[in-house]
Amino acid sequence: MTARRKTMRYCAAMPAAQGGVALITAVLIAAVIALIAVSMAAQQKLDVRRTANVIEGERAYVFALGVESWVQQVLAKDKRDNQADHLGEPWALRLPPITVEGAVIGGRIEDLQGRFNLNNLVKDDKVSPLDMQRFQNLLTVLSVDPAIANAVVDWIDPDADITFPGGAEDGEYLRAAVPYRAANGPMASPSELLLVQGVTADIYQKLAPLVSALPARTDLNVNTAPKEVLMALAAEVSGADADALIEAREKEGFAAISVFLQQPALAGRGVDPAGLTLASDYFLLDGATQFGRVKIRLYSVLQRGGGGVRTLVRGQGTY
């Protein structure tokens, strides 16, 4: 009788226990569904933001191309109206940020012929003595070992002969942790200096704003050259001399190379007039555009010639 009563009590308790398990199961399922819903909503929000960023990025890039097109027109008009280029001209003024149809655009134009053209170091497959001396002067002005110029020449010239001291050809580069070869051809960008033996990141940062890598031999525009590049024209040109030249050219520039060479600051300095000019055909557009949350910085190398202006290189990283 006792066993029967226990069995009856157990059977009566079973429905209550099963109901508790079902309730817990239902709560767990609801929690899992809620987590899935939250995750899907978060993923959807992320997808929407990602899509918006892509769309805004494309629009910002289109506006940046619009700035480039406008700059091409400015430079073409300047070529028709003026025989010389200097820092007092409209193209040399920085464009302050302005709002155009929802985008914020701005930027500046720099004369690349005011910089030292690294590709000038090699002429007819051989080192150019005058350009080599000026580059070594520039390195000295920047407190950089001038022997690095030999490594740069070896990077550009077509032969496999090492220039001493400090030169480097394939043998040196193939021993690197990640082997590579010397270009043995003109530089496409000054950033190639980072691949040249002896050029550290610190040295590159010093040289980057003062050098270019143009596709043809170019003369140096003394109306736009910065102080360090003017000092590199001859070892005897001091910082004070360069400052005096910059003050003398003011906003109008020098009227002729002869006027430049006759400046008191250059008296007895032995500056060679070869490779100097007052007019430029290569420019760098440094444009900044923002549309929505997306910001774009566009670098374009522009060349004037034949009555127009064309884009040689375009990138969003660095020149």
Side-chain angles (χ1 to χ4, degrees):
M1 185 67 180
T2 301
R4 184 177 179 181
R5 288 177 179 177
K6 291 181 177 180
T7 301
M8 292 175 66
R9 291 174 180 173
Y10 174 75
C11 292
M14 285 183 63
Q18 291 175 347
V21 172
L23 179 60
I24 293 173
T25 301
V27 170
L28 289 175
I29 292 174
V32 171
I33 292 175
L35 287 173
I36 294 174
V38 170
S39 177
M40 291 177 64
Q43 183 62 44
Q44 184 182 36
K45 184 178 181 180
L46 182 62
D47 290 340
V48 170
R49 172 47 56 192
R50 184 183 295 114
T51 301
N53 286 342
V54 170
I55 294 174
E56 291 176 353
E58 290 179 349
R59 289 181 177 178
Y61 187 70
V62 169
F63 276 100
L65 293 180
V67 173
E68 179 186 278
S69 178
W70 174 73
V71 166
Q72 288 177 327
Q73 296 178 42
V74 170
L75 292 175
K77 183 179 184 301
D78 176 74
K79 185 69 172 180
R80 292 192 298 269
D81 298 342
N82 303 286
Q83 298 300 314
D85 296 295
H86 55 81
L87 298 179
E89 295 186 288
W91 64 261
L93 301 177
R94 176 181 287 275
L95 175 66
I98 58 175
T99 301
V100 180
E101 297 184 7
V104 179
I105 62 175
R108 65 187 182 93
I109 306 172
E110 182 183 349
D111 178 10
L112 286 178
Q113 286 187 233
R115 300 185 182 193
F116 179 85
N117 183 3
L118 294 169
N119 289 328
N120 278 2
L121 288 170
V122 176
K123 180 180 181 181
D124 298 329
D125 296 339
K126 296 180 180 180
V127 64
S128 169
L130 177 60
D131 293 296
M132 183 65 160
Q133 184 58 62
R134 288 175 175 172
F135 187 48
Q136 289 175 331
N137 291 342
L138 179 60
L139 293 171
T140 301
V141 167
L142 299 176
S143 300
V144 175
D145 183 2
I148 286 178
N150 290 329
V152 178
V153 166
D154 283 345
W155 182 266
I156 297 173
D157 67 20
D159 62 51
D161 300 328
I162 297 177
T163 306
F164 293 97
E169 288 287 355
D170 285 347
E172 283 67 31
Y173 299 118
L174 290 173
R175 288 196 292 268
V178 179
Y180 59 98
R181 294 181 180 275
N184 292 133
M187 287 189 174
S189 165
S191 60
E192 283 188 49
L193 284 171
L194 289 169
L195 297 173
V196 176
Q197 180 172 274
V199 179
T200 64
D202 181 59
I203 292 174
Y204 173 72
Q205 291 301 322
K206 291 181 179 181
L207 282 169
L210 304 173
V211 298
S212 63
L214 301 176
R217 288 190 61 80
T218 55
D219 293 335
L220 176 71
N221 190 333
V222 296
N223 275 339
T224 60
K227 176 179 178 178
E228 295 84 354
V229 176
L230 290 174
M231 293 173 64
L233 292 178
E236 295 79 9
V237 179
S238 68
D241 294 332
D243 287 334
L245 292 171
I246 291 174
E247 183 178 357
R249 73 189 184 192
E250 295 180 339
K251 293 184 178 180
E252 297 298 325
F254 297 108
I257 291 298
S258 59
V259 175
F260 169 72
L261 295 173
Q262 290 167 6
Q263 293 300 306
L266 295 182
R269 301 298 190 270
V271 174
D272 192 326
L276 303 182
T277 188
L278 302 177
S280 300
D281 289 322
Y282 293 90
F283 298 83
L284 175 67
L285 166 63
D286 179 0
T289 306
Q290 180 174 355
F291 191 94
R293 298 185 179 183
V294 179
K295 296 180 180 180
I296 282 181
R297 192 166 183 180
L298 181 69
Y299 294 91
S300 302
V301 178
L302 308 173
Q303 179 188 15
R304 289 195 302 200
V309 180
R310 63 178 181 139
T311 301
L312 297 181
V313 178
R314 183 187 295 134
Q316 296 184 47
T318 184
Y319 164 52

